[in-house]
Amino acid sequence: MNFDLDSERSKGNANSLSYRQLQLETVDLEPENFQQATLLSRHFNNEPQQWQAYLNALAVFALEQWLSDRHLTLTYQVDSLIKTQVLSSEAISPLQVGNFKLCLLSNASLEDQEIKIPKNMIDSPDFAAHFYTIIQVFIEEYQVIVVGFLRYDQLIKKNLKNTKENYYKLSLEAFNAEPSHLIFNLKYLSPAAIKLPENRFIENTFEQLTRWLDQTFTKDWQPIEELLGKRRPIIQMCLRSDEATYQSFINAVQKFLKQFSTPPIQEDKNQVNLAESELSSTEVSHALVQVLETTEDEETRWQAAELLWEIAPSHPAIGVRRAIDLGMQLSGISVALMIAILPRANQRIAILLRIYPLQEQSFLPANLKLIGLDEMGQSLFEVRSRERDDYIQFKFTADPGDQFSLEIVLNNATVTKHFMV
């Protein structure tokens, strides 16, 4: 790792004396802890994420040992923490001790006397915990200090400061500085005594996209042809001509197909010679399916799928697409969110997100934003409309079970939709 350890260590050393004077509980780190932390941190791409994951891993190992010495067992799944990128967050949750959930806040420095907690770690039923525990890591001393803890029901009554980066800030003084009280709570308190937010991400609010492949949709998601009416976005995208006829569209498709031209295989009746100058719509459909099923390039697959939507919208090879009218939720501005899903051979799902104007509008309002968020509420992408954009879009791939949210933002209005792949 290429961390600037000297600067981080100097921060830790500045605080080490004051905490030792308070005689807070310390845990010694072993050499193998550092080796494991280094390996885990390498799962992340950039240096800040690696550094935070490194600290967090050391903090988890120390907390596990500290609880074990007091006859309590910390339960966690490293693979899950890595997959959701919780390990590289400023907080790790949920860790489990019996039926209690713990959120671990690890730091190398507490100089500013404030603790940053991602909002999702408090507001989301998936991450909210019974106890929020602060641990400070001292790299050079091979030690970790259990600084303090706070119960969820007490935390939400505190003066939480909002930040623009989706964090809450809380004074260090708000935390109980007696770690032994945490042990007492974990051993003798009932988890039911601390009410956590209920999981609202049930089928009613969580659109499960893989169900679309079985033709199972919630009522607000309509066939795109019904919602967009006579709008012909795909033909316009291909030809950029309002006077395009169906035949000129077919010609444009054939031009697209010629780059994949291969000699026909006589034994396969569905195999099409893409070099032919004139193909029927059926032959064009077979050729597009052939491209869709054989190419590995994701952008090419989407082009083939979109062309097939025009020629054979019910073909089983082209995945599913649905749209929802957001006008009533977005200050009366008539726009639609379209989502298309396209299965891949490796069980992953390709996803296309697109925002269209509705009714008589030809273009989207300027500065409309499509924002993608991960399970923790961290930003994945942001797309913004410009003057005279007839749609904006974003494409990505995901695994079954992955969760994400979309925010569609215009001026002071925001619509949020939650999805599971």
Side-chain angles (χ1 to χ4, degrees), residues 1 3 35-45 50 53:
M1 292 181 296
F3 300 134
Q35 295 170 6
Q36 288 177 283
T38 299
L39 291 174
L40 290 173
S41 68
R42 289 175 180 168
H43 287 273
F44 301 93
N45 297 325
Q50 287 183 342

Side-chain angles (χ1 to χ4, degrees), residues 204-250:
N204 293 335
T205 56
F206 226 137
E207 190 69 25
Q208 295 184 293
L209 297 181
T210 48
R211 289 190 175 185
W212 289 11
L213 298 173
D214 299 321
Q215 300 300 304
T216 302
F217 311 98
T218 52
K219 63 178 181 179
D220 293 331
W221 291 89
Q222 306 174 46
I224 189 170
E225 296 82 5
E226 293 181 13
L227 191 57
L228 294 182
K230 296 181 180 179
R231 185 181 295 274
R232 306 286 289 177
I234 305 306
I235 290 179
Q236 291 172 13
M237 180 187 72
C238 292
L239 303 179
R240 297 300 178 190
S241 170
D242 294 334
E243 294 78 26
T245 64
Y246 183 75
Q247 186 56 51
S248 63
F249 170 65
I250 291 293

Side-chain angles (χ1 to χ4, degrees), residues 63-64 66-68 70-76 94-103 130-131 133 182-183 185-187 189 191:
L63 180 62
E64 183 178 25
W66 184 71
L67 291 170
S68 177
R70 288 150 185 81
H71 309 291
L72 291 167
T73 300
L74 181 70
T75 305
Y76 58 93
L95 303 173
Q96 204 82 21
V97 180
N99 292 321
F100 286 103
K101 294 181 178 180
L102 262 66
C103 177
H130 296 94
F131 300 102
T133 305
L182 173 60
I183 299 300
N185 277 280
L186 292 172
K187 286 187 174 180
L189 187 68

Side-chain angles (χ1 to χ4, degrees), residues 305-375:
E306 292 193 81
L307 295 171
L308 264 171
W309 288 339
E310 294 296 324
I311 300 171
S314 61
H315 198 288
I318 59 175
V320 185
R321 58 179 178 157
R322 277 292 192 272
I324 187 171
D325 186 348
L326 302 177
M328 295 298 292
Q329 306 171 62
L330 203 64
S331 301
I333 302 297
S334 293
V335 297
L337 166 65
M338 185 203 81
I339 297 183
I341 59 174
L342 194 61
R344 296 177 58 178
N346 58 3
Q347 304 301 312
R348 303 199 80 199
I349 303 292
I351 300 172
L352 166 64
L353 312 170
R354 190 174 281 168
I355 303 289
Y356 286 118
L358 283 180
Q359 298 178 0
E360 301 303 318
Q361 301 175 88
S362 299
F363 306 105
L364 292 170
N367 209 36
L368 182 145
K369 291 181 284 188
L370 172 63
I371 302 171
L373 307 171
D374 65 14
E375 296 178 37

Side-chain angles (χ1 to χ4, degrees), residues 80-267:
S80 177
L81 297 180
I82 292 172
K83 182 178 179 181
T84 59
Q85 293 206 333
V86 173
L87 194 64
S88 63
S89 169
E90 284 79 0
I92 306 179
S93 184
L95 303 173
Q96 204 82 21
V97 180
N99 292 321
F100 286 103
K101 294 181 178 180
L102 262 66
C103 177
L104 177 59
L105 308 163
S106 64
N107 290 270
S109 172
L110 294 171
E111 284 183 318
D112 58 7
Q113 298 293 299
E114 280 191 322
I115 300 298
K116 280 199 329 181
I117 309 175
K119 288 184 179 180
N120 256 30
M121 295 294 181
I122 297 175
D123 298 336
S124 169
D126 293 321
F127 297 103
H130 296 94
F131 300 102
Y132 293 75
T133 305
I134 304 173
I135 282 186
Q136 187 170 9
V137 181
F138 294 94
I139 304 292
E140 284 190 340
E141 288 85 352
Y142 280 63
Q143 281 188 336
V144 161
I145 290 180
V146 183
V147 177
F149 77 99
L150 189 59
R151 290 169 43 151
Y152 174 84
D153 54 351
Q154 296 169 342
L155 182 150
I156 59 175
K157 295 177 182 178
K158 300 292 183 180
N159 181 27
L160 295 172
K161 300 177 184 177
N162 278 287
T163 72
K164 293 181 180 179
E165 296 81 20
N166 288 319
Y167 290 96
Y168 290 123
K169 280 189 176 181
L170 187 61
S171 169
L172 185 60
E173 295 179 356
F175 288 77
N176 187 329
E178 291 289 344
S180 60
H181 293 178
L182 173 60
I183 299 300
F184 183 86
N185 277 280
L186 292 172
K187 286 187 174 180
Y188 304 111
L189 187 68
S190 168
I194 305 175
K195 185 173 176 58
L196 297 179
E198 295 180 359
N199 198 326
R200 296 165 294 168
F201 292 150
I202 316 295
E203 293 184 17
N204 293 335
T205 56
F206 226 137
E207 190 69 25
Q208 295 184 293
L209 297 181
T210 48
R211 289 190 175 185
W212 289 11
L213 298 173
D214 299 321
Q215 300 300 304
T216 302
F217 311 98
T218 52
K219 63 178 181 179
D220 293 331
W221 291 89
Q222 306 174 46
I224 189 170
E225 296 82 5
E226 293 181 13
L227 191 57
L228 294 182
K230 296 181 180 179
R231 185 181 295 274
R232 306 286 289 177
I234 305 306
I235 290 179
Q236 291 172 13
M237 180 187 72
C238 292
L239 303 179
R240 297 300 178 190
S241 170
D242 294 334
E243 294 78 26
T245 64
Y246 183 75
Q247 186 56 51
S248 63
F249 170 65
I250 291 293
N251 292 340
V253 175
Q254 287 186 239
K255 185 177 180 180
F256 165 76
L257 290 173
K258 282 184 179 179
Q259 62 186 300
F260 306 100
S261 180
T262 56
I265 300 174
Q266 299 301 324
E267 291 79 4

